[in-house]
Every structure is written in structure tokens, then in C-alpha cells.
């Protein structure tokens, strides 16, 4: 279940943050999770959303369907988002894994369009995917205006960090490898956008 680093008094924690900082919350959530777990996740996200509104912070909700034996299909992410909107949670941004199809992207866009015309959109999550796999996801994502960009980390830093920690490369080589990977991803994102 979701727990917050600053403890239960979210308002006090967020008042210490500059207002231009965006609050990012990762929640593992599947619409078919057990009721008790789902209710706990929903309660926590609602508390955070209320605290963000009171303190003037933007909110980014990252939804990853729970790791379980429950199937994930073209509607899973859209259904999860719809549950949060029904609770009164209106994030400024969504951060989502690649949904896998144009139909899934259209379902996501429809949920946002039906519930929050002020939402800034979706950032594509990497989930430690290889760069080549992410580049394929970019081509699909760029066909859907609701996807505004990507926010990946491990794809960029995991291998160079592993090599640096093991002493196979020095700090400068690690830095160069991360910059090169990030640059290639940006170029791939731009190419995908030019091709839509």
C-alpha cells in the first residue's frame, strides 16, 4: 500500500516545498485489485490530491497496474484513471507505461477529455525498457496528442551506473554514456513527432 515519505501530515510537508515543484506519486493500482487494497490506494491518492490543491502544487500521478495475476488489457489504464477521477482526483499530469496499442491511447485520451479538459497530458513511463523498445513506443505515443513527452530514468542511467560502480568505466565515461543515451532518446522522440 502507498505510504508517503513525509508522513501522514501531507499539508505540512508540502508547505516546505517551493510551489513550482510538482508532486509525483507512484501508485500501483489495478481496477481489479482486492477491494481493501484498492480502497487504501484510493484513500491515499485522494489525501495527496487534496493537499496539493491546498498548497498550490501541481500533481503528477504515475499509475502502474499492480503486479499480480490480473490481466492488463487496452482498457486497464483508462479504467484506473476513471476510478481516480470519480474520487475527485484531477492530476495535472499522468505518467503511464506504454499502453501497447492505439486503442489504449484513445481510451486514455477519452477519459481525460471526459473528465478534465485542464489536464496537461500524459508522460510516457520507461519501466527500465531498453532504448530500442522505448523508441518503438514513441512512434505510437506521438500519434496521440494527449502524450506530451517521456520521463524515463533507468533506461538512461542503469547500465552506466552499474558499469561505474563495478569499476569498468570511470565517472566521465558514465556521464558521457548517460548523455548519449538521453540525446538519442530525445532525437528519437523528435523523429517520431515529425513522422506523425
Amino acid at each position: 500500500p502507498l505510504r508517503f515519505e513525509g508522513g501522514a501530515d501531507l499539508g505540512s510537508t508540502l508547505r516546505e516545498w517551493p510551489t513550482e515543484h510538482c508532486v509525483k506519486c507512484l501508485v500501483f493500482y489495478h481496477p481489479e485489485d482486492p477491494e481493501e487494497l484498492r480502497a487504501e490506494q484510493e484513500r491515499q491518492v485522494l489525501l495527496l490530491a487534496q493537499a496539493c490543491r491546498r498548497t498550490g502544487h501541481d500533481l503528477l500521478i504515475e499509475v502502474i497496474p499492480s503486479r499480480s495475476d490480473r490481466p492488463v488489457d487496452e482498457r486497464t489504464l483508462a479504467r484506473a484513471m476513471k476510478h481516480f477521477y470519480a474520487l475527485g482526483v484531477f492530476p495535472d499530469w499522468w505518467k503511464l507505461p506504454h499502453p501497447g496499442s492505439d486503442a489504449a491511447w484513445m481510451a486514455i485520451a477519452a477519459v481525460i477529455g471526459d473528465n478534465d479538459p485542464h489536464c496537461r497530458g500524459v508522460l510516457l513511463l520507461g519501466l527500465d525498457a531498453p532504448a530500442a523498445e522505448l523508441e518503438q513506443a514513441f512512434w505510437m505515443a506521438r500519434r496521440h496528442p494527449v502524450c506530451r513527452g517521456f520521463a524515463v530514468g533507468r533506461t538512461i542511467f542503469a547500465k552506466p551506473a552499474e558499469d561505474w560502480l563495478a569499476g569498468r568505466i570511470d565517472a566521465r565515461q558514465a556521464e558521457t554514456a548517460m548523455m548519449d543515451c538521453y540525446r538519442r532518446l530525445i532525437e528519437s522522440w523528435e523523429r517520431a513527432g515529425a513522422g506523425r
Side-chain angles (χ1 to χ4, degrees), residues 94-99 105 122-127 133-134 136-139 141-142 147-152 189:
W94 291 97
K95 185 176 178 188
L96 304 173
H98 176 47
W105 273 115
V122 176
L123 298 177
L124 186 63
L125 169 64
L127 288 178
E133 190 177 307
L134 269 181
Q136 289 298 319
F138 290 172
W139 283 92
R142 290 300 298 249
C147 186
R148 305 299 173 103
F150 64 94
V152 302
W189 178 263

Side-chain angles (χ1 to χ4, degrees), residues 31-43 70:
E32 295 168 19
D33 280 337
E35 175 62 31
E36 185 177 320
L37 174 61
R38 220 173 52 242
E40 175 71 12
Q41 301 296 68
E42 292 168 354
R43 187 169 37 257
R70 290 167 212 30

Side-chain angles (χ1 to χ4, degrees), residues 81-128:
M81 295 164 66
K82 192 171 182 178
H83 279 277
F84 286 114
Y85 280 128
L87 294 170
V89 175
F90 296 88
D92 300 284
W93 293 96
W94 291 97
K95 185 176 178 188
L96 304 173
H98 176 47
S101 71
D102 286 314
W105 273 115
M106 288 186 283
I108 288 165
V111 169
I112 292 172
D114 290 346
N115 290 279
D116 187 7
H118 301 291
C119 180
R120 295 194 181 119
V122 176
L123 298 177
L124 186 63
L125 169 64
L127 288 178
D128 200 19

Side-chain angles (χ1 to χ4, degrees), residues 20 28 31 43 46 48 68 84 101-103 137 142 146:
E20 65 271 13
F28 289 99
R43 187 169 37 257
L46 183 57
L48 180 61
S68 66
F84 286 114
S101 71
D102 286 314
R142 290 300 298 249
V146 72

Side-chain angles (χ1 to χ4, degrees), residues 44-61:
Q44 291 289 83
V45 171
L46 183 57
L47 286 172
L48 180 61
Q50 292 168 343
C52 286
R53 293 298 164 246
R54 283 194 302 270
T55 60
H57 289 89
D58 282 357
L59 175 62
L60 179 149
I61 301 285

Side-chain angles (χ1 to χ4, degrees), residues 29-33 63-80 97-101 104 108 127:
Y29 183 91
H30 192 294
E32 295 168 19
D33 280 337
V63 177
I64 299 176
S66 304
R67 296 179 181 137
S68 66
D69 57 0
R70 290 167 212 30
V72 175
D73 62 26
E74 292 179 334
R75 303 275 315 150
T76 303
L77 287 168
R79 288 174 51 220
H98 176 47
S101 71
I108 288 165
L127 288 178

